[in-house]
Amino acid sequence: MRKPVRKSSKKTQKNNFEERFALMVGEYQKAKDVLDSMPEGTSEYQTQKKVCDKLFASAERYINKN
C-alpha cells in the first residue's frame, strides 16, 4: 500500500496568511470609519485613535513577521 500524500504546508500557510490579514484590514477599516465620523478633540476620539493605531501596528507586525 502507498502512503497518503501530504499537501504542501506552504500553500496552506499562504492561504491562512491572506485570510488573517484580510480580517485585520477589515477590522482596521471599520475602526477608521468610526474614527472619521467623530469630531476631533474629544476624549472618545482620542480613545478610538489609540484603537486604530494599535490595529495598524498589529497588522504591520504581522506582515513583517511573515
Side-chain angles (χ1 to χ4, degrees):
M1 283 182 70
R2 290 179 68 185
K3 293 183 179 178
V5 179
R6 288 188 164 183
K7 290 184 178 181
S8 174
S9 64
K10 285 191 175 192
K11 186 173 184 180
T12 304
Q13 288 175 351
K14 183 179 179 185
N15 288 340
N16 187 29
F17 170 80
E18 291 174 354
E19 289 172 7
R20 283 193 64 197
F21 187 66
L23 286 173
M24 289 177 155
V25 169
E27 195 175 346
Y28 172 75
Q29 287 176 341
K30 287 178 188 175
K32 187 71 173 165
D33 288 342
V34 171
L35 179 69
D36 290 340
S37 69
M38 293 181 169
E40 287 188 39
T42 61
S43 63
E44 295 165 344
Y45 181 86
Q46 295 299 325
T47 305
Q48 188 65 24
K49 184 164 175 49
K50 286 180 185 177
V51 170
C52 287
D53 291 344
K54 285 180 185 178
L55 289 171
F56 185 81
S58 80
E60 195 172 33
R61 281 192 309 270
Y62 186 70
I63 284 179
N64 292 336
K65 186 176 106 176
N66 294 316

Coordinates of all heavy atoms in Angstrom, one line a residue:
M1 N 0.8 -1.2 0.0 CA 0.0 0.0 0.0 C 0.9 1.2 0.0 O 1.9 1.3 0.7 CB -0.9 0.0 1.2 CG -2.1 -0.9 1.2 SD -3.1 -0.8 2.6 CE -3.8 0.8 2.5
R2 N 0.4 2.2 -0.7 CA 1.1 3.5 -0.7 C 0.8 4.3 0.5 O -0.4 4.3 0.9 CB 0.8 4.3 -2.0 CG 1.3 3.6 -3.3 CD 0.9 4.4 -4.5 NE 1.6 5.7 -4.5 CZ 1.4 6.7 -5.4 NH1 0.5 6.5 -6.3 NH2 2.1 7.8 -5.3
K3 N 1.7 5.2 0.9 CA 1.4 6.1 1.9 C 0.6 7.3 1.4 O 0.8 7.7 0.2 CB 2.7 6.6 2.5 CG 3.5 5.6 3.3 CD 4.8 6.2 3.9 CE 5.5 5.2 4.6 NZ 6.8 5.7 5.2
P4 N -0.3 7.8 2.2 CA -1.0 9.0 1.7 C -0.1 10.2 1.5 O 0.9 10.4 2.2 CB -2.0 9.3 2.8 CG -1.6 8.5 4.0 CD -0.7 7.4 3.5
V5 N -0.3 10.9 0.4 CA 0.5 12.1 0.1 C 0.0 13.3 0.9 O -1.2 13.6 1.0 CB 0.4 12.4 -1.4 CG1 1.2 13.6 -1.8 CG2 0.8 11.2 -2.3
R6 N 1.0 14.0 1.5 CA 0.7 15.2 2.3 C 0.6 16.4 1.3 O 1.3 16.5 0.4 CB 1.7 15.4 3.3 CG 1.7 14.4 4.4 CD 2.7 14.9 5.5 NE 2.4 14.2 6.7 CZ 3.1 14.4 7.8 NH1 4.0 15.3 7.9 NH2 2.8 13.7 8.9
K7 N -0.3 17.3 1.7 CA -0.4 18.5 0.9 C 0.7 19.5 1.4 O 1.2 19.4 2.5 CB -1.8 19.2 1.2 CG -2.9 18.5 0.6 CD -4.2 19.3 0.8 CE -5.4 18.6 0.2 NZ -6.6 19.3 0.4
S8 N 1.1 20.3 0.5 CA 2.1 21.3 0.8 C 1.7 22.2 1.9 O 0.6 22.8 1.8 CB 2.5 22.1 -0.5 OG 3.4 23.1 -0.1
S9 N 2.5 22.3 2.9 CA 2.1 23.2 4.1 C 2.3 24.7 3.7 O 1.6 25.5 4.3 CB 2.9 22.8 5.3 OG 4.2 23.1 5.1
K10 N 3.1 25.0 2.7 CA 3.3 26.4 2.3 C 2.1 27.0 1.7 O 1.8 28.1 2.0 CB 4.5 26.5 1.4 CG 5.9 26.3 2.0 CD 7.0 26.7 1.1 CE 8.3 26.6 1.8 NZ 9.3 27.3 1.1
K11 N 1.4 26.2 0.9 CA 0.1 26.7 0.3 C -0.9 27.0 1.4 O -1.6 28.0 1.4 CB -0.4 25.7 -0.7 CG -1.6 26.2 -1.5 CD -2.0 25.3 -2.6 CE -3.1 25.9 -3.4 NZ -3.5 25.1 -4.5
T12 N -1.0 26.1 2.4 CA -1.9 26.2 3.5 C -1.6 27.5 4.3 O -2.4 28.3 4.6 CB -1.9 25.0 4.4 OG1 -2.2 23.9 3.6 CG2 -2.9 25.1 5.5
Q13 N -0.3 27.7 4.5 CA 0.2 28.8 5.3 C -0.1 30.1 4.5 O -0.5 31.1 5.1 CB 1.7 28.7 5.6 CG 2.0 27.7 6.6 CD 3.5 27.6 6.8 OE1 4.3 28.1 6.0 NE2 3.9 26.8 7.8
K14 N 0.1 30.1 3.2 CA -0.2 31.3 2.4 C -1.7 31.7 2.5 O -2.0 32.8 2.7 CB 0.2 31.1 1.0 CG 0.1 32.3 0.1 CD 0.5 32.0 -1.3 CE 0.3 33.3 -2.2 NZ 0.7 33.1 -3.6
N15 N -2.5 30.7 2.3 CA -4.0 31.0 2.4 C -4.4 31.5 3.8 O -5.2 32.4 3.9 CB -4.8 29.7 2.1 CG -4.7 29.4 0.6 OD1 -4.4 30.2 -0.2 ND2 -5.0 28.1 0.3
N16 N -3.8 30.9 4.8 CA -4.1 31.3 6.2 C -3.6 32.7 6.4 O -4.3 33.6 7.0 CB -3.4 30.4 7.2 CG -3.8 30.7 8.6 OD1 -4.9 31.1 8.9 ND2 -3.0 30.4 9.5
F17 N -2.4 33.1 5.9 CA -1.9 34.4 6.0 C -2.8 35.4 5.3 O -3.2 36.5 5.9 CB -0.5 34.5 5.3 CG 0.0 35.9 5.2 CD1 0.6 36.5 6.3 CD2 -0.1 36.6 4.0 CE1 1.1 37.8 6.1 CE2 0.4 37.9 3.8 CZ 1.0 38.5 4.9
E18 N -3.3 35.1 4.1 CA -4.1 36.1 3.4 C -5.5 36.3 4.1 O -6.0 37.4 4.2 CB -4.4 35.6 2.0 CG -3.1 35.6 1.1 CD -3.3 35.0 -0.3 OE1 -4.4 34.4 -0.5 OE2 -2.4 35.1 -1.1
E19 N -6.0 35.2 4.7 CA -7.3 35.3 5.4 C -7.2 36.1 6.6 O -8.0 37.0 6.9 CB -7.8 33.9 5.7 CG -8.3 33.1 4.5 CD -8.6 31.7 4.9 OE1 -8.6 31.3 6.1 OE2 -8.9 30.9 3.9
R20 N -6.1 35.9 7.4 CA -5.9 36.6 8.7 C -5.6 38.1 8.4 O -6.1 38.9 9.1 CB -4.7 36.0 9.5 CG -5.1 34.7 10.2 CD -4.1 34.3 11.2 NE -4.0 35.3 12.2 CZ -3.0 35.3 13.1 NH1 -2.0 34.5 13.0 NH2 -3.0 36.2 14.0
F21 N -4.8 38.3 7.3 CA -4.5 39.7 7.0 C -5.8 40.5 6.5 O -6.0 41.6 6.9 CB -3.4 39.8 6.0 CG -2.9 41.2 5.7 CD1 -2.3 41.9 6.7 CD2 -3.2 41.8 4.5 CE1 -1.9 43.2 6.5 CE2 -2.7 43.1 4.2 CZ -2.1 43.8 5.2
A22 N -6.6 39.8 5.7 CA -7.8 40.4 5.3 C -8.7 40.7 6.5 O -9.4 41.8 6.5 CB -8.6 39.5 4.3
L23 N -8.8 39.9 7.5 CA -9.6 40.2 8.7 C -9.0 41.4 9.4 O -9.8 42.2 9.9 CB -9.6 38.9 9.6 CG -10.5 37.8 9.2 CD1 -10.3 36.6 10.1 CD2 -11.9 38.2 9.1
M24 N -7.7 41.4 9.5 CA -7.1 42.6 10.2 C -7.4 43.9 9.5 O -7.7 44.9 10.1 CB -5.6 42.4 10.3 CG -5.1 41.3 11.2 SD -3.3 41.1 11.2 CE -3.0 40.4 12.8
V25 N -7.3 43.9 8.2 CA -7.5 45.1 7.4 C -9.0 45.5 7.5 O -9.3 46.7 7.7 CB -7.2 44.8 5.9 CG1 -7.7 46.0 5.0 CG2 -5.6 44.7 5.8
G26 N -9.9 44.5 7.5 CA -11.3 44.9 7.6 C -11.6 45.5 9.0 O -12.4 46.4 9.1
E27 N -11.0 44.9 10.0 CA -11.2 45.4 11.4 C -10.6 46.8 11.5 O -11.3 47.7 12.1 CB -10.5 44.5 12.4 CG -10.9 44.7 13.8 CD -10.2 43.6 14.7 OE1 -9.7 42.6 14.2 OE2 -10.2 43.8 15.9
Y28 N -9.5 47.1 10.9 CA -8.9 48.4 10.9 C -9.8 49.4 10.2 O -10.0 50.5 10.7 CB -7.5 48.4 10.3 CG -6.9 49.8 10.2 CD1 -6.5 50.5 11.3 CD2 -6.9 50.4 8.9 CE1 -5.9 51.8 11.1 CE2 -6.3 51.7 8.8 CZ -5.9 52.4 9.9 OH -5.4 53.6 9.7
Q29 N -10.3 49.0 9.0 CA -11.1 49.9 8.3 C -12.4 50.3 9.0 O -12.9 51.4 8.9 CB -11.4 49.3 6.9 CG -10.2 49.3 6.0 CD -10.5 48.6 4.6 OE1 -11.4 47.8 4.5 NE2 -9.7 48.9 3.7
K30 N -13.0 49.3 9.7 CA -14.2 49.6 10.5 C -13.9 50.6 11.6 O -14.6 51.6 11.8 CB -14.8 48.4 11.1 CG -15.4 47.5 10.1 CD -15.9 46.2 10.8 CE -16.5 45.2 9.8 NZ -16.8 43.9 10.4
A31 N -12.8 50.4 12.3 CA -12.4 51.3 13.4 C -12.1 52.7 12.8 O -12.4 53.7 13.4 CB -11.2 50.8 14.1
K32 N -11.5 52.8 11.6 CA -11.1 54.0 11.0 C -12.4 54.8 10.6 O -12.4 56.0 10.7 CB -10.2 53.8 9.8 CG -9.6 55.0 9.2 CD -8.6 55.6 10.1 CE -7.9 56.8 9.3 NZ -7.2 57.6 10.2
D33 N -13.4 54.1 10.1 CA -14.6 54.7 9.7 C -15.3 55.4 10.9 O -15.8 56.5 10.8 CB -15.6 53.7 9.1 CG -15.1 53.3 7.7 OD1 -14.3 54.1 7.1 OD2 -15.6 52.3 7.2
V34 N -15.3 54.6 12.0 CA -15.8 55.2 13.3 C -15.1 56.4 13.7 O -15.6 57.4 14.1 CB -15.8 54.1 14.4 CG1 -16.2 54.7 15.7 CG2 -16.8 53.0 14.1
L35 N -13.7 56.3 13.6 CA -12.9 57.5 14.0 C -13.2 58.7 13.1 O -13.3 59.8 13.6 CB -11.4 57.1 13.9 CG -10.4 58.2 14.2 CD1 -10.4 58.5 15.7 CD2 -9.0 57.8 13.8
D36 N -13.4 58.5 11.8 CA -13.6 59.6 10.9 C -15.0 60.2 11.1 O -15.1 61.4 10.8 CB -13.6 59.1 9.4 CG -12.1 58.7 9.0 OD1 -11.2 59.2 9.7 OD2 -12.0 58.0 8.0
S37 N -15.9 59.5 11.7 CA -17.2 60.1 12.0 C -17.3 60.9 13.3 O -18.2 61.6 13.5 CB -18.3 59.0 12.0 OG -18.1 58.2 13.1
M38 N -16.2 60.8 14.1 CA -16.2 61.5 15.4 C -15.6 62.9 15.2 O -14.7 63.1 14.4 CB -15.4 60.7 16.4 CG -15.9 59.4 16.8 SD -14.9 58.7 18.0 CE -15.9 57.4 18.6
P39 N -16.0 63.8 16.0 CA -15.4 65.2 16.0 C -14.0 65.1 16.7 O -13.9 64.4 17.7 CB -16.3 66.1 16.8 CG -17.1 65.1 17.6 CD -17.2 63.8 16.9
E40 N -13.0 65.8 16.1 CA -11.7 65.8 16.7 C -11.6 66.5 18.0 O -12.4 67.4 18.3 CB -10.7 66.4 15.8 CG -10.4 65.6 14.6 CD -9.2 66.1 13.7 OE1 -8.3 66.7 14.3 OE2 -9.3 66.1 12.5
G41 N -10.7 66.1 18.9 CA -10.5 66.8 20.1 C -11.3 66.2 21.3 O -11.0 66.5 22.5
T42 N -12.2 65.3 21.1 CA -13.0 64.7 22.2 C -12.2 63.5 22.8 O -11.3 63.0 22.2 CB -14.3 64.2 21.8 OG1 -14.2 63.2 20.8 CG2 -15.2 65.4 21.2
S43 N -12.5 63.2 24.0 CA -11.9 62.0 24.6 C -12.2 60.7 23.9 O -11.3 59.8 23.8 CB -12.2 61.9 26.1 OG -13.6 61.7 26.2
E44 N -13.4 60.6 23.4 CA -13.8 59.4 22.6 C -12.9 59.3 21.3 O -12.6 58.2 20.9 CB -15.3 59.5 22.2 CG -16.2 59.4 23.4 CD -17.6 59.9 23.1 OE1 -17.8 60.5 22.0 OE2 -18.5 59.6 23.9
Y45 N -12.7 60.5 20.7 CA -11.8 60.5 19.5 C -10.4 60.0 19.8 O -9.9 59.2 19.1 CB -11.8 61.9 19.0 CG -10.9 62.0 17.7 CD1 -11.5 61.8 16.4 CD2 -9.6 62.4 17.8 CE1 -10.7 61.9 15.3 CE2 -8.8 62.5 16.6 CZ -9.4 62.2 15.4 OH -8.6 62.3 14.2
Q46 N -9.9 60.4 21.0 CA -8.5 60.0 21.3 C -8.5 58.5 21.6 O -7.6 57.8 21.2 CB -8.1 60.8 22.6 CG -7.9 62.3 22.4 CD -6.8 62.5 21.3 OE1 -5.8 61.8 21.1 NE2 -7.1 63.6 20.5
T47 N -9.5 58.0 22.3 CA -9.6 56.6 22.6 C -9.7 55.8 21.3 O -9.0 54.8 21.1 CB -10.8 56.3 23.5 OG1 -10.8 57.1 24.6 CG2 -10.9 54.8 23.8
Q48 N -10.5 56.2 20.4 CA -10.7 55.5 19.1 C -9.4 55.6 18.3 O -9.0 54.6 17.6 CB -11.9 56.0 18.3 CG -12.2 55.3 17.1 CD -12.7 53.9 17.4 OE1 -13.2 53.6 18.5 NE2 -12.6 53.0 16.4
K49 N -8.7 56.7 18.3 CA -7.4 56.9 17.6 C -6.4 55.9 18.1 O -5.7 55.3 17.4 CB -6.9 58.3 17.8 CG -5.7 58.6 17.0 CD -5.4 60.0 16.8 CE -4.1 60.4 16.1 NZ -3.9 59.7 14.9
K50 N -6.4 55.6 19.5 CA -5.5 54.6 20.0 C -5.8 53.2 19.5 O -4.9 52.4 19.2 CB -5.5 54.7 21.6 CG -4.8 55.9 22.2 CD -4.9 55.9 23.7 CE -4.4 57.1 24.3 NZ -4.5 57.1 25.8
V51 N -7.1 52.9 19.5 CA -7.5 51.6 19.0 C -7.1 51.5 17.5 O -6.5 50.4 17.2 CB -9.1 51.5 19.0 CG1 -9.6 50.3 18.3 CG2 -9.5 51.4 20.5
C52 N -7.2 52.5 16.7 CA -6.8 52.4 15.3 C -5.3 52.2 15.2 O -4.8 51.4 14.4 CB -7.2 53.7 14.5 SG -9.0 53.8 14.2
D53 N -4.6 53.0 16.0 CA -3.1 52.9 16.0 C -2.7 51.4 16.4 O -1.7 50.9 15.8 CB -2.5 53.9 16.9 CG -2.6 55.3 16.4 OD1 -3.0 55.5 15.2 OD2 -2.5 56.3 17.2
K54 N -3.3 50.9 17.4 CA -3.0 49.5 17.8 C -3.3 48.5 16.7 O -2.5 47.6 16.5 CB -3.7 49.1 19.1 CG -3.2 49.8 20.3 CD -4.0 49.4 21.5 CE -3.5 50.2 22.8 NZ -4.3 49.9 24.0
L55 N -4.4 48.6 16.1 CA -4.8 47.7 15.0 C -3.8 47.8 13.8 O -3.4 46.8 13.3 CB -6.2 48.0 14.5 CG -7.3 47.6 15.5 CD1 -8.6 48.1 14.9 CD2 -7.4 46.1 15.6
F56 N -3.4 49.0 13.5 CA -2.5 49.2 12.4 C -1.1 48.6 12.7 O -0.5 48.0 11.9 CB -2.4 50.7 12.1 CG -1.5 51.0 10.9 CD1 -2.0 50.9 9.6 CD2 -0.2 51.4 11.0 CE1 -1.2 51.2 8.5 CE2 0.6 51.6 9.9 CZ 0.1 51.5 8.7
A57 N -0.7 48.9 14.0 CA 0.6 48.4 14.4 C 0.6 46.8 14.4 O 1.6 46.2 14.0 CB 1.0 48.9 15.8
S58 N -0.5 46.2 14.8 CA -0.5 44.8 14.9 C -0.5 44.2 13.4 O 0.2 43.2 13.2 CB -1.7 44.2 15.6 OG -2.9 44.3 14.9
A59 N -1.2 44.8 12.5 CA -1.2 44.4 11.1 C 0.2 44.5 10.5 O 0.7 43.7 9.8 CB -2.2 45.2 10.3
E60 N 0.9 45.6 10.9 CA 2.2 45.9 10.4 C 3.2 44.8 10.9 O 4.1 44.3 10.2 CB 2.7 47.3 10.8 CG 3.9 47.8 10.1 CD 4.1 49.3 10.4 OE1 3.8 49.7 11.5 OE2 4.6 50.0 9.5
R61 N 3.1 44.5 12.2 CA 4.0 43.5 12.8 C 3.7 42.1 12.1 O 4.6 41.4 11.9 CB 3.7 43.4 14.3 CG 4.4 44.5 15.1 CD 4.4 44.1 16.6 NE 3.1 43.8 17.1 CZ 2.2 44.7 17.6 NH1 2.5 46.0 17.7 NH2 1.0 44.3 18.1
Y62 N 2.4 41.8 11.9 CA 2.1 40.6 11.2 C 2.7 40.4 9.8 O 3.2 39.4 9.5 CB 0.6 40.4 11.1 CG 0.1 39.1 10.6 CD1 0.2 38.0 11.4 CD2 -0.5 39.0 9.4 CE1 -0.2 36.7 11.0 CE2 -0.9 37.7 8.9 CZ -0.8 36.6 9.7 OH -1.2 35.4 9.3
I63 N 2.7 41.5 9.1 CA 3.3 41.5 7.8 C 4.8 41.3 7.9 O 5.4 40.5 7.2 CB 3.0 42.8 7.0 CG1 1.6 42.8 6.5 CG2 4.0 42.9 5.8 CD1 1.2 44.0 5.7
N64 N 5.5 42.0 8.8 CA 6.9 41.9 8.9 C 7.3 40.6 9.4 O 8.4 40.1 9.1 CB 7.4 43.1 9.8 CG 7.3 44.4 9.2 OD1 7.2 44.5 8.0 ND2 7.2 45.4 10.0
K65 N 6.5 40.0 10.2 CA 6.8 38.6 10.8 C 6.7 37.6 9.7 O 7.5 36.6 9.7 CB 5.8 38.3 11.9 CG 6.1 37.0 12.7 CD 5.2 36.9 13.8 CE 4.2 35.8 13.5 NZ 3.3 35.5 14.5
N66 N 5.8 37.7 8.8 CA 5.6 36.7 7.8 C 6.1 37.2 6.5 O 6.2 37.2 5.6 CB 4.1 36.3 7.7 CG 3.7 35.6 8.9 OD1 4.3 34.7 9.4 ND2 2.5 35.9 9.4

